Amino acid sequence: MNHIFYDWKKERQSVECLKNVKLEVSPQAVEQGHEATLRCHYELEEAPLYSLKYYRGSYEFYRYSPNERPQTKIFNFTWIEVDSNKSDERQVTIKNVDFLLSGNFSCEVTTDAPTFSTATSTKILTVVCKLYNFTSMFQSFTKKRKWNY
């Protein structure tokens, strides 16, 4: 009797064509009104990129699909402003961030046929108040005013 053994481990390795998906948020704490850049790092092996999607919570706000025309799609939300000139297949830049954007951001990478493998990475973005240089403000104020004692 002949036995045929199927090597599942070998099959699994050939299917894994998407590795090391990692979202980087820069800066992690961004001042209100400034911009933040989200970079999605990933390694594609055999299969090409099918899509790269960015989410704020469960809301998709940016998509890059190299086989579609146009390749980028920006979803219209009043509370998030994407800088299309600084966004591509590796990153998305958000302009004029506000406190409402503090929270979880994710990037989701999907490879093309035949595997359509998908992986996601999530990071927290924190929006902080504008920082003022109170020392220079006080010095400026005291130079303009003479104190009478």
Side-chain angles (χ1 to χ4, degrees):
M1 175 181 244
N2 293 338
H3 294 283
I4 300 175
F5 293 98
Y6 188 78
D7 190 350
W8 288 104
K9 187 175 179 182
K10 183 178 179 181
E11 179 67 24
R12 185 171 172 256
Q13 287 173 343
S14 67
V15 171
E16 290 180 3
C17 50
L18 176 60
K19 292 169 44 175
N20 300 325
V21 175
K22 181 181 173 195
L23 179 61
E24 172 191 354
V25 176
S26 179
Q28 286 183 330
V30 60
E31 284 186 42
Q32 178 190 22
H34 288 227
E35 69 179 32
T37 300
L38 310 174
R39 288 182 190 88
C40 195
H41 302 279
Y42 54 89
E43 294 177 34
L44 302 174
E45 291 185 341
E46 300 295 321
L49 179 67
Y50 177 74
S51 69
L52 171 65
K53 300 176 182 180
Y54 286 91
Y55 295 86
R56 166 53 182 93
S58 62
Y59 296 97
E60 181 183 357
F61 66 92
Y62 180 83
R63 180 186 303 168
Y64 176 84
S65 302
N67 297 323
E68 293 182 12
R69 297 296 175 257
Q71 292 180 323
T72 59
K73 182 173 184 177
I74 298 171
F75 296 85
N76 192 17
F77 294 108
T78 57
W79 41 268
I80 192 162
E81 187 178 350
V82 173
D83 186 340
S84 59
N85 296 322
K86 295 182 179 178
S87 302
D88 56 26
E89 75 276 6
R90 290 283 177 177
Q91 69 179 34
V92 63
T93 298
I94 304 167
K95 302 187 290 187
N96 302 318
V97 298
D98 203 354
F99 296 113
L100 184 63
L101 291 179
S102 288
N104 290 335
F105 280 82
S106 303
C107 71
E108 177 187 276
V109 183
T110 304
T111 60
D112 209 338
T115 61
F116 291 102
S117 299
T118 299
T120 304
S121 177
T122 301
K123 291 281 183 178
I124 296 174
L125 173 75
T126 304
V127 180
V128 297
C129 292
K130 289 185 177 183
L131 303 175
Y132 294 100
N133 186 340
F134 289 107
T135 304
S136 65
M137 288 173 58
F138 181 73
Q139 288 171 347
S140 175
F141 176 75
T142 56
K143 285 181 184 177
K144 293 179 184 175
R145 182 157 197 193
K146 295 189 177 193
W147 301 95
N148 295 325
Y149 293 102

